[in-house]
Amino acid sequence: MRLFTPTTKTTTMRAITTKRFLTHHVLSATRFSTTTTRITNHHGSHIRPYSSEKGTPPSPLSSQSQPPSTFNPETYLQTATTTLSLIPPKLIPDTLHPTQSHLLSLGLSSHLPSICLPQGFNAQPPSPNKSIFPWPNQEDDQLPPGYHLIYYPLQTPPHLLFPDGTDADHCPGSPFTRRMWAGGRIDFGKEGSEEQQQQQQFKVDGRKTVCVETLGTPVLQVGNSGKEQDQKVYVDVWRRYIAFPPEATSREVERVVADVIKDSSSSTTPTTHNKERKEAVISELRRLVFLRERPDDGNERSEPFPSPNPNPNHPQQKLEPVPAPAPAPARIIRVPHQPDFSFKMTPDATLLFQFSALTFNAHAIHLDPLYAREVEGYKERLVHGPLTLVIMLRGVEGFLRVAGTSVDTTTTTTAAAADSSVGTARVSEVIKERLFVPRGEETADRKKRKRWEVASIEYKNLRPLFVGEEMKVCVRLLPNREKKSSDKAGLGLSLGARSERVDVWIEAPDGGLAVKGTVGIEWR
């Protein structure tokens, strides 16, 4: 099944010329057999290039002389489901080195309040009196929530990427090839005894980790207008991240990965953790949406057929790019609640480039302003969906630190007031009581200290955010559904069962809701 129509011409806004196309083909064997413990990794094995040396691909202009076939949603979904089901689980091993995490924090340090940055982060270069390697922080080298997004990239060779820089691993097939990040969910599992938790943590200390990725069944959304151009296809990507203790052997790693693949293949919603195993698991659902190809993709002429003797110097035969139609205006949704904690930031081109590099993401919609305008129809480059996810999680972490400080005011906390980039931080007595930190925990040993941690997040991208435009990150503690207790001492006796829910969202410059999420936090 052809995934996109090849083009043999260059455009004035981006050189996307290619002489190949990609196809999914039937696999004769899976990448991982349940009868063996040997791990294999065949990224991109379900796609193959079409080389011009082996023949000339069909011309996009010659196909225009054929009457267009009628799109059948039922037939397409059946074909797409079969295609994606033939893709076996992907194994993406990675070693958690601290450099990537430090570079992400370094890129965010120019945009986020200091209270939202990971503990122990230092953006200053090392002085002669200090170690030349200031990271990782040996006392707290835990991988921050959401930072796993810059590890485990899809390892697709550049010559197998689509012309827009995206990979074909999750694409359901033509005509739905324009990928966007719609939302998802992440569960940060943490079970077992304290000793097991210390061994199972995702620490940036060079330990071995593996990501197991499986695909869900595609879903076609017709849209309210009923037009074909408004149709979308959603594809769920399930990822499970497994961290192993430093003393784990290769045989143990392979056995655990085999069990995880077996569990993932037998369930559409993999569990986040198994108490009987010795590994920690982060379970993630990435919901991708694929839009239809533009009607003028691969064709920049106004006439359907080329002239018999094209002369590029003739004024009537000069090729002009056809700008993509602008997307429909975004519906403005107002949030009816005031945040307990908020700050404003403006993502710039440097931040987008750095995040693209860290995630090995070559999507031109984040890098090329002309491509974003002329091909996709947007006014500017789009901020990454995973980047906004990381920013929201950093906002929640900042709120938890502000709420955990000993402050008597109900307007702006001392920690937030010292940082001019923080908009508001209203920590009332009710919030302080619910997020009460027992006396002595702040000075306890870091390895044994308990604290409020992000346990899960479910989020949805509602409208695009653009580079160079200010956005507002907001956090609000949700009302407690359970019976409140006014005894802080009594609250400290049941710390193991403490959990809360937090709303986090990002507002566009016009005040409309762009991204929304709900975070579960636990005392552990």
Side-chain angles (χ1 to χ4, degrees):
M1 180 175 58
R2 185 180 300 176
L3 295 185
F4 72 97
T5 304
T7 175
T8 57
K9 295 187 287 293
T10 59
T11 64
T12 58
M13 71 288 294
R14 178 173 169 83
I16 57 175
T17 302
T18 181
K19 294 183 179 179
R20 60 174 173 81
F21 61 88
L22 307 179
T23 57
H24 289 295
H25 64 279
V26 178
L27 297 173
S28 57
T30 59
R31 300 180 200 174
F32 195 96
S33 174
T34 56
T35 60
T36 180
T37 59
R38 183 179 180 182
I39 298 177
T40 57
N41 187 14
H42 300 156
H43 273 286
S45 64
H46 65 287
I47 57 179
R48 57 183 174 88
Y50 186 99
S51 174
S52 58
E53 299 175 357
K54 299 180 181 179
T56 304
S59 171
L61 294 177
S62 62
S63 63
Q64 295 179 4
S65 59
Q66 302 295 332
S69 58
T70 304
F71 178 77
N72 188 318
E74 184 177 351
T75 302
Y76 174 84
L77 273 182
Q78 183 179 2
T79 304
T81 302
T82 303
T83 301
L84 296 182
S85 65
L86 293 174
I87 303 177
K90 294 185 183 69
L91 302 182
I92 311 175
D94 209 338
T95 304
L96 295 185
H97 289 297
T99 303
Q100 294 98 308
S101 297
H102 177 80
L103 291 178
L104 177 56
S105 299
L106 190 64
L108 295 174
S109 63
S110 298
H111 303 275
L112 301 184
S114 58
I115 198 171
C116 295
L117 296 174
Q119 285 185 339
F121 170 75
N122 181 16
Q124 300 297 327
S127 64
N129 298 328
K130 295 183 179 180
S131 172
I132 192 173
F133 298 114
W135 67 89
N137 184 352
Q138 298 298 328
E139 295 182 350
D140 189 7
D141 53 1
Q142 180 74 19
L143 186 70
Y147 272 46
H148 70 280
L149 294 168
I150 62 175
Y151 297 87
Y152 319 98
L154 289 176
Q155 301 166 19
T156 304
H159 71 280
L160 292 181
L161 295 176
F162 283 159
D164 63 355
T166 59
D167 52 73
D169 281 37
H170 309 135
C171 182
S174 180
F176 299 95
T177 59
R178 297 165 52 221
R179 186 192 69 190
M180 305 290 280
W181 194 290
R185 177 183 173 86
I186 305 176
D187 292 290
F188 302 92
K190 195 172 184 181
E191 300 289 349
S193 63
E194 293 185 4
E195 182 179 356
Q196 289 177 332
Q197 291 179 11
Q198 292 296 328
Q199 296 178 348
Q200 298 167 356
Q201 291 178 348
F202 284 77
K203 291 188 176 182
V204 287
D205 56 0
R207 64 181 55 201
K208 299 177 182 179
T209 60
V210 176
C211 169
V212 180
E213 179 183 284
T214 55
L215 301 181
T217 303
V219 176
L220 176 65
Q221 180 178 333
V222 178
N224 298 328
S225 64
K227 298 179 181 179
E228 282 194 350
Q229 198 57 33
D230 295 334
Q231 294 175 344
K232 306 174 183 177
V233 174
Y234 289 88
V235 176
D236 286 349
V237 180
W238 285 97
R239 282 189 159 206
R240 300 185 69 191
Y241 307 90
I242 313 166
F244 300 94
E247 64 274 10
T249 63
S250 299
R251 185 177 297 274
E252 291 175 342
V253 171
E254 293 180 353
R255 177 185 57 81
V256 169
V257 171
D259 292 341
V260 172
I261 290 179
K262 183 178 179 180
D263 179 62
S264 301
S265 302
S266 61
S267 175
T268 57
T269 56
T271 56
T272 60
H273 193 84
N274 189 326
K275 295 183 180 181
E276 297 179 356
R277 298 178 185 157
K278 296 183 179 180
E279 81 282 357
V281 170
I282 297 176
S283 179
E284 179 183 8
L285 165 64
R286 297 182 178 182
R287 182 151 294 163
L288 306 179
V289 58
F290 290 86
L291 310 179
R292 271 184 170 269
E293 299 168 344
R294 295 291 186 186
D296 57 341
D297 280 356
N299 181 18
E300 50 185 342
R301 293 179 180 269
S302 57
E303 69 275 10
F305 299 98
S307 58
N309 299 308
N311 182 6
N313 296 324
H314 195 281
Q316 296 181 352
Q317 295 181 356
K318 287 186 177 180
L319 303 181
E320 296 293 338
V322 181
R331 184 166 60 99
I332 299 178
I333 304 176
R334 305 287 183 180
V335 179
H337 306 287
Q338 291 296 323
D340 298 320
F341 176 84
S342 67
F343 63 89
K344 296 181 179 180
M345 62 168 290
T346 303
D348 55 17
T350 300
L351 178 61
L352 267 61
F353 169 79
Q354 291 174 339
F355 192 80
S356 293
L358 285 171
T359 55
F360 206 60
N361 183 2
H363 197 179
I365 204 169
H366 309 300
L367 303 172
D368 192 338
L370 290 177
Y371 175 86
R373 288 194 298 265
E374 303 296 337
V375 178
E376 295 290 348
Y378 293 105
K379 60 182 179 180
E380 249 296 354
R381 288 153 289 182
L382 270 61
V383 181
H384 308 69
L387 178 56
T388 59
L389 172 59
V390 172
I391 292 173
M392 289 194 303
L393 288 171
R394 296 320 309 162
V396 173
E397 290 272 315
F399 165 71
L400 294 177
R401 291 183 195 171
V402 171
T405 56
S406 300
V407 183
D408 295 329
T409 178
T410 59
T411 56
T412 304
T413 66
T414 305
D419 198 330
S420 59
S421 58
V422 178
T424 59
R426 298 181 176 87
V427 182
S428 63
E429 289 295 333
V430 175
I431 294 178
K432 292 195 307 182
E433 178 181 342
R434 291 172 57 186
L435 301 181
F436 167 64
V437 177
R439 189 180 303 275
E441 284 292 338
E442 296 181 356
T443 58
D445 182 75
R446 285 182 178 269
K447 295 182 179 181
K448 300 181 180 180
R449 180 189 307 174
K450 289 188 176 182
R451 59 186 177 184
W452 287 104
E453 293 184 355
V454 174
S456 64
I457 180 172
E458 189 168 1
Y459 63 98
K460 184 177 182 180
N461 297 317
L462 303 176
R463 54 182 289 192
L465 293 165
F466 299 98
V467 64
E469 291 189 353
E470 185 181 68
M471 61 186 193
K472 183 179 180 181
V473 183
C474 305
V475 183
R476 174 178 175 264
L477 184 65
L478 289 176
N480 196 348
R481 299 178 181 178
E482 301 178 356
K483 185 178 180 180
K484 298 180 180 179
S485 172
S486 58
D487 185 6
K488 290 185 178 181
L491 192 61
L493 296 176
S494 59
L495 298 180
R498 295 178 67 185
S499 63
E500 298 286 351
R501 296 169 67 245
V502 176
D503 264 354
V504 57
W505 67 91
I506 298 180
E507 297 178 0
D510 58 7
L513 185 63
V515 190
K516 67 175 182 178
T518 301
V519 179
I521 59 174
E522 294 180 0
W523 177 262
R524 55 191 188 184

